Every structure is written in structure tokens, then in C-alpha cells.
Amino acid sequence: MSFLVGARVSLCPLSINDLEGGYSEWINSQENDYFTQHAQFPHTRESLVQYFNQKSQSKNDLWLAIKLNENNKHIGNIEIGQIDWVHKRGTYAILLGDPEESGKGYAFEASELIIEHAFNKLNLHRIQLGVHEHNSAAINLYKKIGFKEEGVWREYFLRNG
């Protein structure tokens, strides 16, 4: 079931089946975790199901699978989370987990879909995010979709000592 549909990708509610295979590998991959905090601790199927249940029931998190229109392949997840309905703000996050699909513009298309929905349907006023200063690919994406740098948290995210 598609929720938001673009030219090449659709954003769909995650299902239990989406937790199998690729997603479990992405979230536990030490190689892919340089710029995130996903793989600091191992994620078992049980912990992923618990996380799935929590996110699926939340009215403060819009957490969706990114799927290719041509074959319904699950290539990542995208979210507007921690929604504060009083101040009308939320936090954007994206995980494009399938390395074969990186660099093809899918993250940009998915981001445009969810951000448009957040502003025009959820009536949010502000969307924010955090990014590691050396994650140039992500920074380029965020600038392309209109995010502006507002500040720097020094020594917030430590890696390799």
C-alpha cells in the first residue's frame, strides 16, 4: 500500500516483512554506520519488532519505507519524527540502506515527497535534522532540498576516539 507516490519511488507504511533481510542488515552494518548511531548495539529481530510496534502506533512519528515503483523493492526508510504538535515542528531522518541504489536520486525524490506532506498535510512549520560534518553526500542532499545550516554542535558525535 503506497502512501505517497512519486515518479520513481513510493513511501509506504512499513510492514513486519520489511524488517527482514535488507533492513536488518542495514541497521546492523558496521561498514555503513560511520555517520549514524544505528549499529552501536546489535538489533535482533525481537528488538526491531518492538521498535516497529512503537513507531507504528505513534502519532508523533511518520515513519515510512522507501520502495521503488518498478518492482516494490524496499531500499530505505524516511521519517518525520519527534513531531511537536504545539510548536509545529518535526525532525527529518533518512536511511537509504541499499548501496546498489545510492546516488540515483531516490533519496531526493523521497525527501521531497515527505517534506511536502509534512508542510502541507501535517501543517508543520519547521523541519530540522542533524548531520555529521563529514557526511558530504547527505549535506549536499539536504542543501538541495532546502535545508539551511543553523549551527554546529561541537564534539556531540564521537567516533574512533
Side-chain angles (χ1 to χ4, degrees), residues 35-49:
F35 296 118
T36 73
Q37 300 176 56
H38 295 124
Q40 290 177 324
F41 297 95
H43 299 280
T44 64
R45 184 178 193 309
E46 293 76 22
S47 68
L48 290 175
V49 167

Side-chain angles (χ1 to χ4, degrees), residues 98-115:
D98 189 332
E100 292 179 11
E101 306 304 346
S102 186
K104 297 180 179 178
Y106 297 135
F108 176 75
E109 185 177 338
S111 297
E112 282 192 317
L113 287 169
I114 200 167
I115 289 169

Side-chain angles (χ1 to χ4, degrees), residues 15-20 23-24 43-57 63:
S15 72
I16 289 288
N17 294 336
D18 292 324
L19 302 181
E20 303 296 333
Y23 182 72
S24 179
H43 299 280
T44 64
R45 184 178 193 309
E46 293 76 22
S47 68
L48 290 175
V49 167
Q50 182 180 11
Y51 184 73
F52 167 83
N53 289 333
Q54 170 200 342
K55 286 289 206 180
S56 298
Q57 299 301 314
W63 185 50

